[in-house]
Amino acid sequence: MRAIVVLPVRDLTEGREWYARTLGFDTVYVHAHPVEDPEGNYAVLLGDGAEVHLILDEPPRDHP
């Protein structure tokens, strides 16, 4: 059995860069849309036998 940690981040690019620079993680997947969401809102990172997922912590949308 394995567990995967999903961590909310305010900026996906900054989060990915921090994990790469500080802990040596590599980004292996980014869920993005080329027009609507080019920076992405979800990423999978691997490093030293560990897997971490980052999700963009978006504020709730206002309902009309």
Side-chain angles (χ1 to χ4, degrees):
M1 177 178 12
R2 71 181 195 169
I4 297 173
V5 177
V6 180
L7 301 171
V9 293
R10 292 189 181 176
D11 185 303
L12 192 65
T13 301
E14 285 183 17
R16 291 173 44 224
E17 289 173 355
W18 185 88
Y19 273 87
R21 180 179 62 252
T22 307
L23 301 174
F25 277 67
D26 294 314
T27 299
V28 295
Y29 173 77
V30 175
H31 180 78
H33 185 279
V35 175
E36 295 176 16
D37 191 13
E39 298 296 320
N41 62 7
Y42 195 89
V44 177
L45 295 82
L46 298 176
D48 198 24
E51 182 172 332
V52 173
H53 293 207
L54 302 178
I55 189 166
L56 188 60
D57 186 16
E58 299 175 296
R61 295 181 184 188
D62 292 333
H63 294 286

Coordinates of all heavy atoms in Angstrom, one line a residue:
M1 N 0.8 -1.2 0.0 CA 0.0 0.0 0.0 C 0.9 1.2 0.0 O 2.0 1.2 0.5 CB -0.9 0.0 1.2 CG -1.7 1.2 1.3 SD -3.0 1.5 2.6 CE -2.7 0.4 3.8
R2 N 0.4 2.3 -0.6 CA 1.1 3.6 -0.6 C 0.2 4.7 -0.4 O -1.0 4.6 -0.7 CB 2.0 3.8 -1.9 CG 1.1 4.0 -3.1 CD 2.0 4.2 -4.3 NE 1.2 4.8 -5.3 CZ 1.7 5.2 -6.4 NH1 3.0 5.2 -6.7 NH2 0.9 5.8 -7.4
A3 N 0.7 5.8 0.1 CA -0.1 7.0 0.2 C 0.5 8.1 -0.6 O 1.7 8.2 -0.8 CB -0.1 7.4 1.7
I4 N -0.4 8.9 -1.2 CA 0.0 10.1 -2.0 C -0.5 11.3 -1.3 O -1.7 11.4 -1.1 CB -0.5 10.0 -3.4 CG1 0.1 8.7 -4.1 CG2 -0.1 11.2 -4.2 CD1 -0.4 8.5 -5.5
V5 N 0.4 12.2 -1.1 CA 0.0 13.5 -0.4 C -0.4 14.5 -1.5 O 0.3 14.7 -2.5 CB 1.2 14.0 0.4 CG1 0.9 15.4 1.0 CG2 1.7 13.0 1.5
V6 N -1.5 15.1 -1.3 CA -2.0 16.2 -2.2 C -2.0 17.5 -1.4 O -2.7 17.6 -0.4 CB -3.4 15.9 -2.8 CG1 -3.8 17.1 -3.7 CG2 -3.5 14.6 -3.5
L7 N -1.1 18.4 -1.8 CA -0.9 19.7 -1.0 C -1.5 20.8 -1.8 O -1.1 21.0 -3.0 CB 0.5 19.9 -0.7 CG 1.3 18.8 0.0 CD1 2.7 19.0 0.0 CD2 0.7 18.7 1.4
P8 N -2.3 21.7 -1.2 CA -2.8 22.9 -1.8 C -1.7 24.0 -1.8 O -0.9 24.1 -0.9 CB -3.9 23.4 -1.0 CG -3.7 22.8 0.4 CD -2.9 21.5 0.2
V9 N -1.5 24.6 -3.0 CA -0.6 25.7 -3.1 C -1.3 26.9 -3.7 O -2.2 26.8 -4.5 CB 0.6 25.3 -4.0 CG1 1.5 24.3 -3.3 CG2 0.2 24.9 -5.4
R10 N -0.8 28.1 -3.4 CA -1.4 29.4 -4.0 C -0.9 29.6 -5.4 O -1.6 30.3 -6.1 CB -1.1 30.5 -3.1 CG -1.8 30.4 -1.8 CD -1.7 31.6 -0.9 NE -2.4 31.4 0.3 CZ -2.5 32.2 1.3 NH1 -1.9 33.3 1.2 NH2 -3.1 31.9 2.4
D11 N 0.3 29.1 -5.7 CA 0.9 29.3 -7.0 C 1.6 28.0 -7.4 O 2.6 27.6 -6.8 CB 1.9 30.5 -7.0 CG 2.4 30.8 -8.4 OD1 3.0 29.9 -9.0 OD2 2.3 32.0 -8.8
L12 N 1.0 27.4 -8.4 CA 1.5 26.1 -8.8 C 2.9 26.1 -9.4 O 3.8 25.3 -9.0 CB 0.6 25.4 -9.9 CG 0.8 24.0 -10.2 CD1 0.5 23.1 -8.9 CD2 0.0 23.5 -11.3
T13 N 3.3 27.1 -10.1 CA 4.6 27.3 -10.7 C 5.6 27.5 -9.6 O 6.7 26.8 -9.5 CB 4.7 28.4 -11.7 OG1 3.8 28.1 -12.7 CG2 6.1 28.6 -12.3
E14 N 5.3 28.3 -8.6 CA 6.2 28.6 -7.5 C 6.4 27.3 -6.6 O 7.5 27.0 -6.2 CB 5.7 29.7 -6.6 CG 6.0 31.1 -7.2 CD 5.5 32.2 -6.3 OE1 5.4 32.0 -5.1 OE2 5.3 33.3 -6.8
G15 N 5.3 26.6 -6.4 CA 5.3 25.4 -5.7 C 6.2 24.3 -6.3 O 7.0 23.7 -5.7
R16 N 6.0 24.2 -7.6 CA 6.9 23.2 -8.4 C 8.3 23.6 -8.3 O 9.2 22.7 -8.1 CB 6.4 23.1 -9.8 CG 5.0 22.5 -10.0 CD 4.5 22.5 -11.4 NE 5.5 22.2 -12.4 CZ 5.7 22.9 -13.5 NH1 5.0 23.9 -13.8 NH2 6.6 22.6 -14.3
E17 N 8.6 24.9 -8.5 CA 10.0 25.3 -8.4 C 10.6 25.1 -7.1 O 11.8 24.8 -7.0 CB 10.1 26.8 -8.9 CG 9.8 27.0 -10.3 CD 9.7 28.5 -10.7 OE1 9.7 29.4 -9.8 OE2 9.5 28.7 -11.9
W18 N 9.9 25.4 -6.0 CA 10.4 25.2 -4.6 C 10.7 23.7 -4.4 O 11.8 23.4 -3.9 CB 9.4 25.7 -3.6 CG 9.9 25.6 -2.2 CD1 10.6 26.5 -1.6 CD2 9.8 24.5 -1.3 NE1 11.0 26.1 -0.3 CE2 10.5 24.8 -0.2 CE3 9.3 23.2 -1.4 CZ2 10.6 24.0 0.9 CZ3 9.4 22.4 -0.3 CH2 10.1 22.7 0.8
Y19 N 9.8 22.8 -4.8 CA 10.1 21.4 -4.6 C 11.3 20.9 -5.4 O 12.1 20.1 -5.0 CB 8.9 20.5 -4.9 CG 8.0 20.4 -3.7 CD1 7.0 21.3 -3.5 CD2 8.1 19.3 -2.9 CE1 6.2 21.1 -2.3 CE2 7.3 19.1 -1.8 CZ 6.3 20.1 -1.5 OH 5.6 19.9 -0.4
A20 N 11.5 21.5 -6.6 CA 12.7 21.1 -7.4 C 13.9 21.7 -6.8 O 14.9 20.9 -6.7 CB 12.5 21.7 -8.8
R21 N 13.9 22.9 -6.4 CA 15.1 23.6 -5.9 C 15.5 23.1 -4.5 O 16.7 22.8 -4.3 CB 14.9 25.1 -5.9 CG 16.0 26.0 -5.4 CD 15.7 27.5 -5.4 NE 14.5 27.8 -4.5 CZ 13.3 28.1 -4.9 NH1 13.0 28.2 -6.2 NH2 12.4 28.4 -4.0
T22 N 14.5 22.9 -3.7 CA 14.8 22.6 -2.3 C 15.0 21.1 -2.0 O 15.8 20.7 -1.2 CB 13.7 23.2 -1.4 OG1 13.5 24.6 -1.7 CG2 14.0 23.0 0.1
L23 N 14.1 20.3 -2.7 CA 14.1 18.9 -2.4 C 14.5 18.0 -3.6 O 14.5 16.8 -3.4 CB 12.7 18.5 -1.9 CG 12.2 19.2 -0.6 CD1 10.8 18.8 -0.3 CD2 13.1 18.9 0.5
G24 N 14.8 18.6 -4.7 CA 15.2 17.8 -5.9 C 14.1 17.0 -6.6 O 14.4 16.1 -7.3
F25 N 12.9 17.5 -6.4 CA 11.8 16.8 -7.1 C 11.7 17.2 -8.5 O 12.0 18.3 -8.9 CB 10.4 17.1 -6.4 CG 10.1 16.3 -5.2 CD1 10.9 16.4 -4.0 CD2 9.0 15.4 -5.2 CE1 10.6 15.7 -2.9 CE2 8.7 14.7 -4.1 CZ 9.5 14.8 -2.9
D26 N 11.2 16.3 -9.4 CA 11.0 16.5 -10.8 C 9.5 16.5 -11.0 O 8.8 15.7 -10.5 CB 11.6 15.4 -11.7 CG 13.1 15.5 -11.6 OD1 13.7 16.6 -11.7 OD2 13.7 14.4 -11.5
T27 N 9.0 17.5 -11.8 CA 7.6 17.5 -12.2 C 7.4 16.5 -13.4 O 8.1 16.6 -14.4 CB 7.2 18.9 -12.7 OG1 7.4 19.8 -11.6 CG2 5.7 18.9 -13.1
V28 N 6.5 15.5 -13.2 CA 6.3 14.5 -14.2 C 4.9 14.7 -14.9 O 4.7 14.1 -16.0 CB 6.4 13.1 -13.7 CG1 7.8 12.8 -13.2 CG2 5.4 12.9 -12.6
Y29 N 4.1 15.6 -14.4 CA 2.8 15.8 -15.0 C 2.2 17.2 -14.5 O 2.3 17.5 -13.3 CB 1.8 14.7 -14.6 CG 0.4 15.0 -15.1 CD1 0.0 14.8 -16.4 CD2 -0.6 15.4 -14.2 CE1 -1.2 15.1 -16.9 CE2 -1.9 15.7 -14.7 CZ -2.2 15.5 -16.0 OH -3.5 15.8 -16.4
V30 N 1.7 17.9 -15.4 CA 0.9 19.2 -15.1 C -0.4 19.1 -15.8 O -0.4 19.0 -17.1 CB 1.7 20.4 -15.4 CG1 0.9 21.7 -15.2 CG2 3.0 20.5 -14.7
H31 N -1.5 19.3 -15.1 CA -2.8 19.3 -15.7 C -3.0 20.8 -16.1 O -3.1 21.6 -15.2 CB -3.9 18.8 -14.8 CG -5.2 18.9 -15.4 ND1 -5.7 18.0 -16.3 CD2 -6.2 19.8 -15.3 CE1 -6.9 18.3 -16.7 NE2 -7.3 19.4 -16.1
A32 N -3.1 21.1 -17.4 CA -3.3 22.5 -17.8 C -4.1 22.5 -19.1 O -4.2 21.5 -19.8 CB -1.9 23.1 -18.0
H33 N -4.6 23.7 -19.4 CA -5.3 23.9 -20.7 C -4.6 25.1 -21.3 O -4.3 26.1 -20.7 CB -6.8 24.3 -20.4 CG -7.6 24.5 -21.7 ND1 -7.5 25.6 -22.4 CD2 -8.4 23.6 -22.3 CE1 -8.3 25.5 -23.4 NE2 -8.9 24.3 -23.4
P34 N -4.2 24.9 -22.6 CA -3.3 26.0 -23.2 C -3.9 27.4 -23.3 O -3.2 28.3 -23.3 CB -3.1 25.4 -24.7 CG -4.1 24.3 -24.8 CD -4.5 23.9 -23.5
V35 N -5.2 27.5 -23.3 CA -5.9 28.8 -23.4 C -6.4 29.2 -22.0 O -6.1 30.3 -21.5 CB -7.0 28.8 -24.4 CG1 -7.7 30.2 -24.4 CG2 -6.4 28.5 -25.8
E36 N -7.3 28.4 -21.4 CA -8.0 28.7 -20.2 C -7.1 28.7 -18.9 O -7.4 29.4 -18.0 CB -9.2 27.8 -20.1 CG -10.2 28.0 -21.2 CD -11.4 27.1 -21.0 OE1 -11.6 26.5 -20.0 OE2 -12.1 27.0 -22.0
D37 N -6.1 27.8 -18.9 CA -5.3 27.6 -17.7 C -3.9 27.2 -18.1 O -3.5 26.1 -17.8 CB -6.0 26.6 -16.8 CG -5.4 26.5 -15.4 OD1 -4.7 27.4 -15.0 OD2 -5.7 25.5 -14.7
P38 N -3.1 28.0 -18.7 CA -1.8 27.6 -19.2 C -0.8 27.3 -18.1 O 0.1 26.5 -18.3 CB -1.3 28.8 -20.0 CG -2.1 30.0 -19.5 CD -3.4 29.4 -19.0
E39 N -1.0 27.8 -16.9 CA 0.0 27.5 -15.8 C -0.4 26.2 -15.1 O 0.4 25.6 -14.4 CB 0.0 28.6 -14.8 CG 0.4 30.0 -15.3 CD 1.9 29.9 -15.7 OE1 2.7 29.3 -15.0 OE2 2.2 30.5 -16.8
G40 N -1.6 25.7 -15.3 CA -2.1 24.5 -14.7 C -2.7 24.7 -13.4 O -2.6 25.7 -12.8
N41 N -3.4 23.6 -12.9 CA -4.0 23.6 -11.6 C -3.7 22.4 -10.8 O -4.2 22.2 -9.7 CB -5.5 23.8 -11.7 CG -6.2 22.7 -12.5 OD1 -5.6 21.7 -12.8 ND2 -7.5 22.9 -12.8
Y42 N -2.9 21.4 -11.4 CA -2.6 20.2 -10.6 C -1.3 19.7 -11.2 O -1.0 19.7 -12.4 CB -3.7 19.2 -10.9 CG -3.6 18.0 -9.9 CD1 -4.3 18.0 -8.7 CD2 -2.9 16.8 -10.2 CE1 -4.3 17.0 -7.8 CE2 -2.9 15.8 -9.4 CZ -3.6 15.8 -8.2 OH -3.5 14.8 -7.3
A43 N -0.4 19.2 -10.3 CA 0.9 18.7 -10.8 C 1.3 17.5 -9.9 O 0.9 17.4 -8.8 CB 2.0 19.8 -10.6
V44 N 2.1 16.6 -10.6 CA 2.6 15.4 -9.9 C 4.1 15.5 -9.9 O 4.7 15.8 -11.0 CB 2.2 14.1 -10.7 CG1 2.8 12.9 -10.0 CG2 0.6 14.0 -10.7
L45 N 4.7 15.4 -8.8 CA 6.2 15.5 -8.7 C 6.7 14.2 -8.0 O 6.1 13.6 -7.2 CB 6.5 16.7 -7.7 CG 6.2 18.1 -8.3 CD1 4.7 18.4 -8.0 CD2 7.1 19.1 -7.6
L46 N 7.9 13.8 -8.5 CA 8.6 12.7 -8.0 C 10.0 13.1 -7.5 O 10.7 13.9 -8.2 CB 8.7 11.6 -9.1 CG 7.5 11.0 -9.6 CD1 7.8 10.0 -10.8 CD2 6.6 10.3 -8.6
G47 N 10.4 12.5 -6.4 CA 11.8 12.7 -5.9 C 12.2 11.7 -4.8 O 11.4 11.6 -3.9
D48 N 13.3 11.1 -5.0 CA 13.9 10.3 -4.0 C 12.9 9.2 -3.5 O 12.7 9.0 -2.3 CB 14.4 11.1 -2.8 CG 15.4 10.3 -1.9 OD1 16.0 9.4 -2.4 OD2 15.5 10.7 -0.8
G49 N 12.2 8.6 -4.4 CA 11.2 7.5 -4.0 C 9.9 8.0 -3.5 O 9.0 7.2 -3.2
A50 N 9.7 9.3 -3.5 CA 8.4 9.9 -3.0 C 7.6 10.6 -4.1 O 8.2 11.0 -5.1 CB 8.7 10.9 -1.9
E51 N 6.4 10.6 -3.9 CA 5.5 11.2 -4.9 C 4.6 12.2 -4.2 O 4.0 11.9 -3.2 CB 4.6 10.2 -5.6 CG 3.6 10.7 -6.6 CD 2.9 9.6 -7.4 OE1 3.5 8.5 -7.5 OE2 1.8 9.9 -7.9
V52 N 4.6 13.4 -4.7 CA 3.8 14.5 -4.1 C 2.9 15.1 -5.2 O 3.4 15.3 -6.3 CB 4.7 15.6 -3.5 CG1 3.9 16.8 -3.0 CG2 5.5 15.1 -2.3
H53 N 1.7 15.4 -4.9 CA 0.8 16.1 -5.8 C 0.5 17.5 -5.3 O 0.3 17.6 -4.1 CB -0.5 15.3 -6.0 CG -0.4 14.0 -6.6 ND1 -1.4 13.4 -7.3 CD2 0.7 13.1 -6.7 CE1 -1.0 12.2 -7.8 NE2 0.3 12.0 -7.4
L54 N 0.5 18.4 -6.2 CA 0.2 19.8 -5.8 C -1.1 20.2 -6.5 O -1.3 19.9 -7.7 CB 1.3 20.8 -6.2 CG 2.7 20.5 -5.6 CD1 3.7 21.5 -6.2 CD2 2.7 20.5 -4.1
I55 N -2.0 20.9 -5.8 CA -3.3 21.3 -6.4 C -3.4 22.8 -6.1 O -3.1 23.3 -5.0 CB -4.5 20.6 -5.8 CG1 -5.7 20.9 -6.6 CG2 -4.7 20.8 -4.3 CD1 -6.9 20.0 -6.4
L56 N -3.8 23.5 -7.1 CA -4.0 25.0 -6.9 C -5.1 25.3 -6.0 O -6.2 24.8 -6.2 CB -4.3 25.6 -8.3 CG -4.3 27.2 -8.3 CD1 -2.9 27.7 -7.9 CD2 -4.6 27.6 -9.7
D57 N -4.8 26.0 -4.9 CA -5.8 26.4 -3.9 C -6.6 27.6 -4.4 O -6.1 28.8 -4.2 CB -5.1 26.7 -2.6 CG -6.1 26.9 -1.5 OD1 -7.3 26.6 -1.6 OD2 -5.7 27.5 -0.4
E58 N -7.7 27.4 -5.1 CA -8.4 28.5 -5.7 C -9.5 28.9 -4.8 O -10.2 28.1 -4.1 CB -9.0 28.1 -7.0 CG -8.0 27.7 -8.0 CD -8.5 27.1 -9.3 OE1 -9.2 26.1 -9.3 OE2 -8.3 27.8 -10.4
P59 N -9.8 30.2 -4.7 CA -10.9 30.7 -3.8 C -12.2 30.2 -4.4 O -12.3 30.0 -5.6 CB -10.8 32.2 -3.9 CG -10.0 32.5 -5.1 CD -9.1 31.3 -5.3
P60 N -13.2 30.0 -3.5 CA -14.5 29.6 -4.0 C -15.1 30.7 -5.0 O -14.9 31.9 -4.8 CB -15.4 29.5 -2.8 CG -14.5 29.8 -1.6 CD -13.2 30.2 -2.1
R61 N -15.8 30.2 -6.0 CA -16.4 31.1 -6.9 C -17.7 31.7 -6.3 O -18.4 31.0 -5.6 CB -16.8 30.4 -8.2 CG -15.6 29.9 -9.0 CD -16.0 29.2 -10.2 NE -14.8 28.7 -10.9 CZ -14.8 28.2 -12.1 NH1 -15.9 28.1 -12.8 NH2 -13.7 27.7 -12.6
D62 N -17.9 32.9 -6.6 CA -19.2 33.6 -6.1 C -20.3 33.0 -6.9 O -20.3 32.9 -8.1 CB -19.1 35.1 -6.2 CG -18.1 35.7 -5.2 OD1 -17.8 35.1 -4.2 OD2 -17.6 36.7 -5.6
H63 N -21.4 32.8 -6.2 CA -22.6 32.3 -6.9 C -23.5 33.6 -7.1 O -23.7 34.4 -6.2 CB -23.4 31.3 -6.1 CG -22.6 30.0 -5.9 ND1 -22.4 29.1 -7.0 CD2 -21.9 29.5 -4.9 CE1 -21.7 28.1 -6.5 NE2 -21.3 28.3 -5.3
P64 N -24.1 33.6 -8.3 CA -25.0 34.8 -8.5 C -26.2 34.9 -7.6 O -26.7 34.0 -7.1 CB -25.4 34.6 -10.0 CG -24.9 33.3 -10.4 CD -24.1 32.7 -9.4

